Amino acid sequence: MSLSKLKDSIKAKTNIIDIEGNISENIIKLLDCNSKNNIFIDYKYRFFKFDKNKDVKHFWQNVHKDIKDCIKKELKLKDIAKIEYEFFHIKQKNGYDVYFFYINDKPCTEYNNFIAELTNNNIEPHKIFESLIGLLLKLEFIKKFQQTYEFQPEYYNAVLYLNTNKKGGIFDTLYPEVYFSEYKELVVSLHKKVFKEQKGDIKGNAIDLLFRSEKNSFRTIDDNLSATIFSKKPFIDFNNYNKSINHTQNLLLDTLQQLLKKYDINFKCRYFKANYFLNDFLEVKDKIISKKVIIIDNLTNTADNLKQQLYDRLQQEYPNSVITSATEYSEFDALDNKNNYLILNSTSKNNGSSVIVDGKNKNTFWDAYKARVNNKHADLDYYSKLKYSQSQSDRLIVLQGLNIINIKKDKLDNKLKKIQTEIWLKEQVFHAKKLQNINLDDNKLTLIYIRKLKKDKKYGKDSFYSVIIDVTIKNEKIMIENFNFVYSERELKNSFSYLSKREKLYNDSFFIIDKTAEVMLMSYNSSRIPRIIGNSTVDSIELAADEDSDNKLSRQATKPKEIVLPYYIAKTKERHIYLEQSNNDLLYFVTPSTQPNSTIAKQNLIYNILTFDKNGDLLKALDQSVTELFLKSFTEDIIKNNEYSKSSILEKIAKLYIEN
């Protein structure tokens, strides 16, 4: 493989810690060591019978109320007292076994039988360790970091909100999750959450959540706002580091290490250290749309004069376009694959989304997809209805949405350029069934992409959706031969012997089968794959806090040991895919397209490559020709305008069938 080997590279700090020693013994340490500070972890068990006449939300509200009442009684607290606890549950035939942990001022007298009791109830010890560490970590933040943030850390049903800031009536915050795998990997992740401030009288949809600053307290409501749209918190801000996500990531990891040392639990930090890099990216110069674009007006509550401004702009972009209303194409069957369709959608002020299910705003199309899979009568918005019909059909229609938030203020240039690229690419894949001027070696491949959706509170069934595509690469052309959809994980595994030994298939995973070499490649991300959060030799928190330091937290550092965020910030502007070989695994990280100014908006993920033979046995990924093919299929200015993408053109082709 034509990779460049790195003579020396930086050890990047990640969000994963490997725990050593026996898990059950470590659990006893956590329980015993609390006595050093006169703080103890207690636990209780309750069985809650599920009432079919009540909805899931009401059921869990009652569960948490009963837990709180139980703890208050045990600790002899007043009814108004706030309660902090950790809990997990096991589903039974007619209800749930619920275990909950809390802080007590006297030791638990029953923990000698603790491990055996829970193991007999089919709860793995790693789940207990996860719960205890999670609770202790939250307590550390309550005790030590009250002054770190503008809004003090508070609990609500064991959720700890950190790094909260308020703008207008919106609270933009983060909450941590601790995951401990059966392989003894301790993973700390951060998730965005956005709340609305509750003003005036407390209504029925208000939740018991207060954000407290030094001067004020605020009550909020959870309106299911999209964090993708409403959260403005950057991954890193070099000028205001304490407010960024990366600061909280590092603070969490540092605190976790201190806890483990305190409780005499041995561990090793996980690092990412690249062995190789690659910088060959595919390019396509001309992106000409050949078919007519039908513009469908699905806008509501938009003034006619504003609509006309948008119409004029779109007809400049697509001179042969036709503008019509959604009533002209009310059903998917009315669409003709000789045309491309651009649907103009209004977005909700509540959550910034155009997706509506049974009259309620949802965040993504996949909420609508799950609703229709579980209930064929679920009422969807116009665009979601078309996309769902497409997902169940073998007729490929180019569908593209354009969400309009505010026509006057919207900066349409970048959005329209992106949409034009999407329409062009879909037209090549669905209509022409080929992509030209793609500099890849000749080969015959099968591409597979998986969308695996977890059940939510209302719709109780998992959804599985995958596409299988046969392609031929010849004379710098990717030719698409045939495709089919598979809606069952078992059916997909039965179709390919390569997958016979895979216990779990991940959402958003991509596969290439090299038919000539008879090798399958899998590219995926999961919670067990680390994320880069810093430099192992630089304490970014200390550096940012030291006002007298000459070596300020900076994006301009050029010496490797001074770069606070390795692999994001490079000495040159050269594009790279960085790779770390670890046994049969091959981790890869695609650098940002440009050097950051003052901020980096989003965190890039590390992905893993695994390769298998026809029997499902693992091969060394770095030695396989299909790995080189995959890595050389990453693009510049094809999937993303004026940028190089974080994914392969082969993967993008497969995704189009699922996400069109």
Side-chain angles (χ1 to χ4, degrees), residues 181-312:
S181 77
E182 60 268 36
Y183 302 99
K184 300 199 289 189
E185 299 154 320
L186 190 57
V187 184
V188 181
S189 59
L190 270 176
H191 306 274
K192 294 179 179 179
K193 181 71 178 176
V194 181
F195 293 97
K196 281 184 180 178
E197 181 182 357
Q198 172 68 55
K199 295 181 179 180
D201 295 335
I202 303 302
K203 299 179 181 179
N205 63 345
I207 62 172
D208 184 21
L209 174 58
L210 295 175
F211 285 106
R212 304 179 193 273
S213 65
E214 285 187 8
K215 298 180 180 179
N216 297 301
S217 294
F218 301 89
R219 188 178 293 275
T220 62
I221 54 175
D222 188 352
D223 252 3
N224 197 30
L225 292 177
S226 170
T228 303
I229 296 170
F230 286 96
S231 177
K232 307 303 179 185
K233 206 176 292 293
F235 171 55
I236 192 167
D237 184 342
F238 293 100
N239 296 331
N240 197 4
Y241 183 62
N242 289 0
K243 298 292 184 183
S244 65
I245 296 170
N246 186 253
H247 177 275
T248 306
Q249 286 179 321
N250 279 281
L251 193 59
L252 279 166
L253 197 78
D254 291 350
T255 307
L256 190 55
Q257 290 178 56
Q258 292 167 14
L259 275 173
L260 294 170
K261 290 175 182 176
K262 175 181 176 181
Y263 298 147
D264 196 28
I265 294 173
N266 295 325
F267 65 91
K268 288 183 180 177
C269 293
R270 184 86 62 88
Y271 300 102
F272 177 82
K273 187 175 182 181
N275 313 108
Y276 303 91
F277 72 90
L278 184 75
N279 56 13
D280 294 331
F281 288 78
L282 297 173
E283 296 181 68
V284 172
K285 298 298 181 185
D286 298 320
K287 303 172 189 173
I288 299 171
I289 296 173
S290 60
K291 295 184 181 294
K292 183 188 292 185
V293 176
I294 307 293
I295 299 170
I296 299 177
D297 181 354
N298 185 42
L299 297 172
T300 57
N301 301 321
T302 303
D304 289 341
N305 63 321
L306 296 180
K307 280 188 181 184
Q308 191 59 52
Q309 292 176 30
L310 182 61
Y311 292 167
D312 293 344

Side-chain angles (χ1 to χ4, degrees), residues 75-92:
L75 301 180
K76 299 178 181 178
L77 299 174
K78 295 180 180 179
D79 286 343
I80 60 172
K82 286 184 70 67
I83 301 299
E84 305 88 38
Y85 55 92
E86 185 80 36
F87 88 109
F88 58 88
H89 58 271
I90 305 173
K91 194 176 188 320
Q92 303 296 351

Side-chain angles (χ1 to χ4, degrees), residues 458-516:
K458 184 173 182 181
Y459 303 107
K461 191 168 73 173
D462 292 344
S463 300
F464 184 89
Y465 183 19
S466 65
V467 66
I468 304 168
I469 309 162
D470 289 320
V471 303
T472 296
I473 303 174
K474 190 172 183 179
N475 298 329
E476 297 192 351
K477 293 180 184 177
I478 300 176
M479 292 170 285
I480 298 159
E481 296 171 349
N482 54 65
F483 73 94
N484 67 290
F485 296 122
V486 174
Y487 303 95
S488 161
E489 185 169 344
R490 179 179 294 179
E491 182 182 345
L492 184 65
K493 285 183 176 181
N494 290 340
S495 300
F496 298 99
S497 58
Y498 299 96
L499 297 172
S500 59
K501 295 180 180 178
R502 296 301 303 165
E503 292 183 9
K504 184 176 183 180
L505 299 181
Y506 295 98
N507 176 46
D508 194 34
S509 53
F510 173 63
F511 303 82
I512 302 174
I513 298 176
D514 183 334
K515 295 181 182 179
T516 304

